[in-house]
Amino acid sequence: MKKFFFTIIITLSITMGFSQTICGTDYFLEQQILKDPSLQNVAEQNWILSDGPSSQPEGARAVKIIPVVFHVFHDGEEGNISYDQILSAMDMINQDFRRTNSDASSTRAIFAPYAADSEIEFRLATIDPNGDCTKGVVRQDIGFNSFDAGENVKPLSRWPSNQYFNIWVVNSINSAGVPGIILGYAQFPGTGNWSSYGVIIRNDRIGNIGTATTGDRTLTHEIGHCLNLLHTFQSGCGNSCNNSGDRVCDTPPSANSTQVCDLNQNLCTNDIIGTSVYSSDVADQIENYMSYNDCQNMFTLGQKNRMENALNSFSNLSSLISSNNLLATGALNTNPGICSAEFMVNNQVVCVGQEVSFTDLSYFNPKLHQWYFEGADNENSALKNPTITYSTPGKYLVQLTVEDSNANSVSSQQLEYITVLSSIGNTIPIMEDFESGTSLVEMQWFTKNKQNGFGWQLNNSYGYSGSSSIKAEAFRLQGIIEISSFAFDASNLISGHLSFRRAYAPIPGESGNFLKVSVSGNCGVTWKTLKIYGTNSLSTRADKSSPYNAPNLSDWELTNISIPAEHLTANLRVKLEYNVNQGNNLFIDDINLSGSLATNVVLKTPVNGTPNAPDNAILNWNASSIVNYYRVEVDTDTTFNTSDYQSQQINYLSGSSNNLDTQWGLNNLVHGQTYYWKVTGSLNGVDTASSEVWSFKVDSTMVGIGAINKNSFTILAYPNPASEELNLRISSEVKQEIQIVMYDITGNMIKIIYEGELQESESQFTISRTNLGNGIYLIQTLSKNGMDIQKVILE
C-alpha cells in the first residue's frame, strides 16, 4: 500500500478550481521522503492518530486560536495583494473551520450529522517576533523569484513556527515536472523541519477579492494538510474505512480525485467496513474540503478530532496555541490601539493640477487623521483618504499623524514622496541622449526597478551618439522593470513621432521577453501601448549566452513609432517596460520626440484664467509651422478694440518654441485688471489661423521675472553656465529676511531655495541639479528692501 500511495501522488493531474490544477502537498512530501526515507514511516505513524468521533458534544471544547502571518512575495505591483484581500482570506478560513460558511446548508442530509465546527480560529498576529506591532503581513519585492516559487522563498521571510502559522504568498509555484498547475502546498506536521512548516499558495487563491477571481477553498484545504488531514482519495478504496481514503471513518473513501460535483459519484463501496459511522454504502463526500471537487463546504467530526489530536500531540503546535503565545503574538487582543501610520498614493509622479489620491493604511483602529502635504494647494487635511492637488513643480514631503480613540498617536513622514512636473512640458522637438546628467533622477527619468540591481540604470560607458545610454540590468532575471519620462509639450503638433536606438543580444533559446513602448497624454494617469517588441523583433545582433554589457556601434538599431493625435498634448510622457523572462541586458539611447507643426498657434503661459499674473508678465507660446512673423495682441476686452489695446510684431526665427520669437514681455499692467491675449501668424501677408483667446488677471504683489530692482544685497551665481552644482553667494549690508526662489524661463516656480534671515556679510547656497534639465533659469532674491534677479544657464 505504501509503495502504491507514493507512486500515485506523482501522477496526479486533477483539478481544484479549474482544469489541470493540483495541490502540491503530496508531491512535496514525496520529495522530502526521497531525501530522507525515514519520513515515510513518520508520516504513516502520524496518520494513525485517533480520528474517531469525539465523546464530547459539539461546541463543548475550548476554541483553539492560531496566530497567523502572511509573507507576501511579489514582483513590484504584480502579486502585491491588498490587506483587504488578506482579510477576506481570513474571513473565509474562519467561516470554513467554524462552519459558519454561507454554503454550509448545501451539505447533503446523509453527511449533515457529521459536518463539524472544528472549533479552530485563525487571527492575524498583532505583535511580531521582536515585540513590535504588526498587521500580520510581511511584504517583499523579490522580483522574478516570486514566480515558479517553492521552498527557496521560505528562508527569505519566516517567523518561528511554534509562535506563528506561516503562509507564504507567491505569484506562481514551481510544478517541477508534475502535470498541471500547482495552486498551493502544505507540510504535514512532523514530516520535515519545523522552520519550513506552513502553506505556500498563489496570490490568486487568497480570499475572494482582488486577484482571487474564484474564491475557492485552496487555503482551507492546505491548512487542513498542515493539521494532519489527508486527501479524501489519499489511500484509495482499501479494505476498511480505517486504511482507505483519508483514513477517517465518517469521510467515505474515494478511489481517486475528481473535480465535478456529481452527487451520484461513488468510487468505493467499502464504506461500512471498519469503524464506520454509516450502516450502508454511501456516495462519495464530494463536499469535503479535503477533496478536489468544486462544491466543498464541510469538515467532518472525525477530521475535527484528527486536527485536535495534531494540535495536542506535536509540541510545536501545542506551543502555537498556548495562552502564553497568544498573548505574546497579540492574537488575544481583538481591539488593539494605533501603532503604525502608513499610507499609499495612486501616483507619485504627477503634473501640476492633477489630483493625487492618498489612502490611509494605518493600524490599528485609527480615528483621527492629520495630513501635511508640503507644497500642495491645501497643505493640511483631516480626511482619512484625501485627494490633493499641487500647483507648483517640485519634490514634496508627505506626513501623516493618526490617533486612536484613546488619544494615542503615531506619525510617518516620507521625504520627496511626490514629484510634481510642470503642467506644460518641455517643448518638442526634443532629443534625450543621456549625456547631460550624472543620474536618471537628475534628468527626470523615473524608474520602477527591482531589488539587487535588477532595473534601469544610467550607463556612462556605451552609447550610440555619445558615451551614455540607459541600460536594463536584467541578465537571467524575471520580472517587469519600467522607466518613464518627464513631460513634453506636443500641443502644437498635428502629427508626432517617437524614435530611439536599441541594442539587444538575446540569450540562446530565450522566449517570453518583450519591450512595451507606451505614451500618456495626461501625464501618466493612463497609458496607451504603441508597440511591443518580442524576442525576435527586439534582437539587434547575434545570440549571446553571457551578460550583454558592451554593445558595438553596429548593434544599435533605430526604432520609429507614430504617436496618435489624441496624445499630442501639453504633458505627453513616454514609458518603456521591459518584461524579462530569463533574458539579457538591454540598451536604449537617443530617445527623440518630433513631429509636424500645426499652422495654428498654441498658447503656453500665463495659463488661461491665471488669477495672479505679475504686472510685468511674459507671454509665451509654442511655435507654429513657417510664418513670416507672429502678431501678439493684448487688451482688456475680447473685442481687442479698446484704448488699452497693445500689439507687437515678432519676426519668425525657427520652428523651435524656445527662441525669443515665441515670447513677449509686458510692463506696467494694472493691478486687479483682467487682460485677454492672442497670437496670430502671418505668411506672405496673409494671416494664418489664430490662437485661442486666453485671459489672466494681474496681481501687482506677485514678483515678475522681468522686474529688476537693485537693493541692499548683491548676488553672484557661479559657475555660470553650470554643468553640475550651481552656487549662490549673497553679500548683504544688513541683517534682513529674504526669500530665494528659482523660476524657469516661462515664469513657472521651480523651487524655494531659502526663506529666512540673511546674516550681515556673506551667505553661501548650493543648488543641486537633481530634476533640473538643461536650459535658462532665473534666481530671484526678494526682501523688503528690494529684489534682484540673476539669469543662470544649466548645461
Side-chain angles (χ1 to χ4, degrees), residues 328-343:
T329 58
L332 293 181
N333 189 357
T334 58
N335 189 32
I338 195 69
C339 67
S340 181
E342 297 181 6
F343 56 86

Side-chain angles (χ1 to χ4, degrees), residues 721-759:
S723 59
E724 297 181 355
E725 291 181 340
L726 176 68
N727 299 297
L728 300 179
R729 180 182 299 158
I730 300 178
S731 301
S732 176
E733 299 173 3
V734 294
K735 291 183 179 181
Q736 55 185 312
E737 294 287 325
I738 68 165
Q739 181 190 62
I740 307 174
V741 182
M742 178 179 241
Y743 292 88
D744 66 19
I745 193 64
T746 67
N748 289 320
M749 188 175 76
I750 302 301
K751 65 171 69 176
I752 296 175
I753 299 169
Y754 178 73
E755 284 184 308
E757 185 175 77
L758 183 67
Q759 299 297 319

Side-chain angles (χ1 to χ4, degrees), residues 667-688:
N667 288 294
N668 302 317
L669 299 176
V670 178
H671 174 71
Q673 177 66 56
T674 297
Y675 289 87
Y676 301 89
W677 66 293
K678 64 180 179 178
V679 179
T680 303
S682 180
L683 179 63
N684 300 325
V686 179
D687 286 351
T688 61

Side-chain angles (χ1 to χ4, degrees), residues 651-663:
N651 291 332
Y652 182 85
L653 295 178
S654 74
S656 171
S657 300
N658 298 317
N659 289 329
L660 295 176
D661 63 342
T662 57
Q663 64 182 50

Side-chain angles (χ1 to χ4, degrees), residues 62-363:
V63 172
K64 294 174 173 57
I65 298 171
I66 296 178
V68 177
V69 56
F70 284 80
H71 308 270
V72 180
F73 296 117
H74 59 92
D75 180 24
E77 296 179 358
E78 188 169 0
N80 192 12
I81 59 175
S82 70
Y83 185 62
D84 285 340
Q85 185 173 343
I86 291 171
L87 291 180
S88 75
M90 292 294 291
D91 288 341
M92 286 181 64
I93 60 175
N94 278 315
Q95 291 166 11
D96 289 348
F97 277 83
R98 293 306 311 270
R99 193 157 170 78
T100 60
N101 49 301
S102 61
D103 54 355
S105 60
S106 299
T107 302
R108 285 174 287 178
I110 187 65
F111 300 127
Y114 311 107
D117 167 8
S118 71
E119 296 183 307
I120 297 173
E121 288 186 8
F122 302 88
R123 296 181 186 172
L124 288 172
T126 61
I127 302 174
D128 72 11
N130 296 322
D132 298 323
C133 78
T134 178
K135 294 174 76 173
V137 181
V138 179
R139 300 178 185 274
Q140 282 195 33
D141 182 351
I142 62 172
F144 65 96
N145 287 315
S146 63
F147 298 89
D148 292 328
E151 293 298 283
N152 59 307
V153 303
K154 290 182 177 180
L156 301 178
S157 179
R158 58 187 174 197
W159 291 4
S161 61
N162 63 342
Q163 296 177 268
Y164 306 90
F165 184 79
N166 290 281
I167 300 174
W168 292 276
V169 184
V170 297
N171 279 320
S172 62
I173 298 174
N174 190 338
S175 62
V178 178
I181 299 172
I182 295 179
L183 302 180
Y185 70 86
Q187 179 175 314
F188 287 108
T191 59
N193 194 308
W194 283 101
S195 65
S196 58
Y197 176 73
V199 171
I200 287 187
I201 188 168
R202 290 165 52 115
N203 66 68
D204 58 359
R205 302 294 144 168
I206 295 295
N208 54 16
I209 63 173
T211 63
T213 56
T214 60
D216 67 18
R217 266 47 184 263
T218 300
L219 184 55
T220 299
H221 178 102
E222 300 305 339
I223 294 175
H225 285 316
C226 282
L227 297 179
N228 210 33
L229 298 186
L230 309 181
H231 289 132
T232 55
F233 52 84
Q234 195 89 39
S235 302
C237 292
N239 55 25
S240 167
C241 65
N242 300 97
N243 61 21
S244 61
D246 66 349
R247 309 184 188 191
V248 177
C249 281
D250 56 4
T251 304
S254 182
N256 52 263
S257 66
T258 59
Q259 176 188 353
V260 298
C261 295
D262 179 2
L263 299 180
N264 296 315
Q265 177 178 302
N266 186 5
L267 302 182
C268 293
T269 58
N270 61 332
D271 301 345
I272 62 175
I273 304 175
T275 59
S276 175
V277 298
Y278 302 105
S279 58
S280 64
D281 183 53
V282 295
D284 291 350
Q285 198 176 86
I286 58 176
E287 49 262 82
N288 196 284
Y289 290 128
M290 301 313 294
S291 75
Y292 275 5
N293 301 93
D294 289 337
C295 40
Q296 303 160 328
N297 60 53
M298 65 173 286
F299 287 120
T300 67
L301 291 169
Q303 288 173 321
K304 169 184 177 177
N305 203 49
R306 177 180 284 273
M307 289 189 284
E308 182 176 326
N309 279 322
L311 290 170
N312 292 330
S313 299
F314 295 98
S315 60
N316 211 75
L317 300 185
S318 299
S319 173
L320 180 67
I321 63 173
S322 68
S323 57
N324 287 339
N325 186 59
L326 299 182
L327 287 171
T329 58
L332 293 181
N333 189 357
T334 58
N335 189 32
I338 195 69
C339 67
S340 181
E342 297 181 6
F343 56 86
M344 64 176 290
V345 68
N346 65 324
N347 197 349
Q348 284 186 256
V349 180
V350 297
C351 277
V352 165
Q354 282 186 341
E355 292 186 338
V356 185
S357 298
F358 290 85
T359 302
D360 170 48
L361 301 176
S362 303
Y363 57 94

